[in-house]
């Protein structure tokens, strides 16, 4: 069975609402044959990553960056998950990325830096972006949770045999 790993940091109700909708979408009735594994970012391991066929990542924007918890996730799993470092220690471009990933980011005024921070690391993993990044500012509306549901469903559907 294919496996979709959801790694998230959801410290407030706003972010949690998006996370819950992403997870619900990944469990949509039309999805069959896909196991959905949900891990808080501080608990996800390299084994979780290696065992998965696709990924959904969620974070608030903090100080123009991803949350410290999601950064901890990347710090922990990056090399074991096949990440490549440049000589200066930055994440270098991966070749042959195949496992799909999606990303959602919640902020109050600007999520640009947070999105960039995640994508700059993920481009050095053997993963491929499979959906537009979902960026939500401020109050989470029904339209936002619908988009989050769709994001979860999209990634899960990609893993169906
Ligand atoms: C330390 C800290 C830094 C933050 N930095 C940003 C930021 O750079 N951009 C932004 O849009 N929101 C920022 N925020 C707001 C958070 O993204 C927001 O609190 C989080 O997404 C949860 O949303 P909520 O507080 O509306 O529930 C920051 C919040 C904190 C506590």
């Amino acid at each position: 069975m294919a496996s979709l790993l959801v790694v998230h940091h959801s410290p407030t109700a706003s972010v949690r609402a998006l996370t819950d909708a992403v997870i619900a979408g990944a469990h949509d009735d039309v999805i069959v044959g896909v196991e959905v594994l949900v891990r808080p970012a501080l608990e996800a391991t390299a084994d979780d990553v290696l065992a998965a066929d696709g990924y959904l990542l969620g974070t608030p924007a903090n100080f123009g960056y991803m949350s410290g918890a999601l950064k901890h996730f990347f710090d922990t799993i990056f090399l074991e998950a096949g990440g490549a470092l440049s000589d200066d220690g930055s994440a270098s471009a991966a070749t042959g990325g195949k496992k799909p990933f999606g990303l959602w980011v919640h902020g109050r005024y600007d999520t640009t830096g947070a999105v960039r921070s995640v994508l700059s690391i993920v481009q050095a993993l053997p993963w491929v972006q499979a959906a537009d990044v979902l960026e939500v500012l401020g109050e989470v509306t029904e339209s936002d949770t619908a988009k989050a549901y769709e994001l979860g469903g999209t990634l899960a559907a990609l893993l169906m045999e």
Side-chain angles (χ1 to χ4, degrees):
M1 186 182 274
S3 167
L4 176 61
L5 177 64
V6 181
V7 179
H8 67 97
H9 181 57
S10 307
T12 73
S14 309
V15 193
R16 187 73 226 181
L18 294 173
T19 303
D20 288 347
V22 165
I23 294 166
H27 284 106
D28 187 277
D29 287 346
V30 304
I31 307 292
V32 287
V34 180
E35 180 191 29
V36 181
L37 218 73
V38 181
R39 290 278 188 266
L42 292 175
E43 295 171 21
T45 66
D47 285 346
D48 293 333
V49 173
L50 291 171
D53 302 294
Y55 309 95
L56 278 162
L57 308 167
T59 180
N62 283 347
F63 301 123
Y65 204 80
M66 74 183 89
S67 72
L70 193 65
K71 175 63 162 45
H72 171 80
F73 164 72
F74 284 122
D75 290 350
T76 306
I77 64 92
F78 183 78
L79 291 178
E80 276 190 74
L85 288 175
S86 301
D87 290 343
D88 66 0
S90 62
S92 69
T95 52
K98 288 289 178 288
K99 292 186 178 181
F101 79 89
L103 168 68
W104 75 98
V105 180
H106 182 269
R108 285 203 198 142
Y109 44 88
D110 183 8
T111 53
T112 312
V115 170
R116 189 170 48 229
S117 70
V118 175
L119 296 183
S120 71
I121 290 175
V122 173
Q123 56 86 32
L125 288 166
W127 302 359
V128 61
Q129 187 174 342
D132 289 341
V133 177
L134 175 59
E135 297 176 67
V136 178
L137 291 177
E139 185 191 344
V140 174
T141 65
E142 273 183 33
S143 159
D144 296 324
T145 53
K147 288 177 193 163
Y149 189 97
E150 193 180 324
L151 176 63
T154 298
L155 262 289
L158 282 171
L159 300 184
M160 284 169 60
E161 307 252 310

